[in-house]
C-alpha cells in the first residue's frame, strides 16, 4: 500500500511537471504569436513608409521637371527680350549717328 501511495505520488508529480511544461510551451507560443503579429504590423508600417517615400520622390521629380521647363521658358523669353533691346539700342545708335552726320553736313553746307 505504501508502495502504491509512493507510485501515485510520483505519478502526480510527473503529470504536474508535464502539465507545467505544457503551460510553459503554450505561453511561449502565445508570446511568439504576439511578437509575430507585432513584427507584421511593423513590416506593414515600413512598407507604407517606403511607398509614401516613393510617391514623394515621384512628386518631387515631377516638380523639378516642371520647374526646369519653366526656367528654360523664362530663359528663352529673357534671351529674346535682351536681343530685342540690343537691336533697339543698335537702331537708336544708328539713328543718332545719322542725325549727327546730317547736322554736320547741314552745318558745313
Amino acid at each position: 500500500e505504501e508502495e502504491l501511495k509512493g507510485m501515485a505520488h510520483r505519478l502526480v508529480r510527473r503529470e504536474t511537471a508535464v502539465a507545467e511544461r505544457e503551460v510553459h510551451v503554450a505561453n511561449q507560443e502565445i508570446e511568439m504569436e504576439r511578437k509575430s503579429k507585432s513584427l507584421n504590423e511593423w513590416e506593414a508600417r515600413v512598407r507604407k513608409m517606403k511607398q509614401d517615400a516613393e510617391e514623394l520622390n515621384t512628386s518631387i521629380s515631377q516638380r523639378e521637371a516642371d520647374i526646369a521647363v519653366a526656367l528654360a521658358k523664362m530663359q528663352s523669353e529673357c534671351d529674346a527680350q535682351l536681343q530685342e533691346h540690343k537691336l533697339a539700342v543698335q537702331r537708336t545708335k544708328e539713328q543718332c549717328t545719322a542725325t549727327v552726320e546730317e547736322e554736320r553736313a547741314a552745318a558745313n553746307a
Side-chain angles (χ1 to χ4, degrees), residues 3-16:
E3 192 176 322
L4 283 177
K5 282 184 184 179
M7 287 175 60
H9 186 65
R10 285 191 300 277
L11 182 60
V12 166
R13 279 195 312 220
R14 198 173 301 140
E15 287 178 355
T16 300

Side-chain angles (χ1 to χ4, degrees), residues 3-104:
E3 192 176 322
L4 283 177
K5 282 184 184 179
M7 287 175 60
H9 186 65
R10 285 191 300 277
L11 182 60
V12 166
R13 279 195 312 220
R14 198 173 301 140
E15 287 178 355
T16 300
V18 168
E20 287 174 351
R21 281 195 294 273
E22 288 175 350
V23 167
H24 180 71
V25 168
N27 284 337
Q28 285 181 327
E29 288 174 348
I30 290 169
E31 183 64 16
M32 290 294 289
E33 188 174 315
R34 185 185 66 74
K35 287 181 179 178
S36 176
K37 182 179 177 184
S38 177
L39 179 61
N40 290 340
E41 290 170 354
W42 274 105
E43 287 173 341
R45 287 183 195 150
V46 168
R47 281 192 301 274
K48 176 69 170 124
M49 289 187 328
K50 284 182 178 179
Q51 179 183 357
D52 290 348
E54 287 175 14
E55 290 172 1
L56 185 57
N57 278 337
T58 300
S59 175
I60 289 170
S61 295
Q62 182 59 50
R63 289 187 55 113
E64 287 174 341
D66 293 346
I67 290 169
V69 168
L71 286 174
K73 182 178 176 184
M74 288 174 63
Q75 182 68 45
S76 176
E77 290 172 359
C78 288
D79 288 346
Q81 288 180 1
L82 179 60
Q83 194 60 35
E84 287 176 23
H85 287 299
K86 283 181 178 179
L87 290 174
V89 167
Q90 182 63 35
R91 282 192 298 269
T92 302
K93 283 172 89 177
E94 290 171 358
Q95 289 172 352
C96 288
T97 300
T99 302
V100 168
E101 288 175 2
E102 287 173 8
E103 289 176 1
R104 278 188 191 151

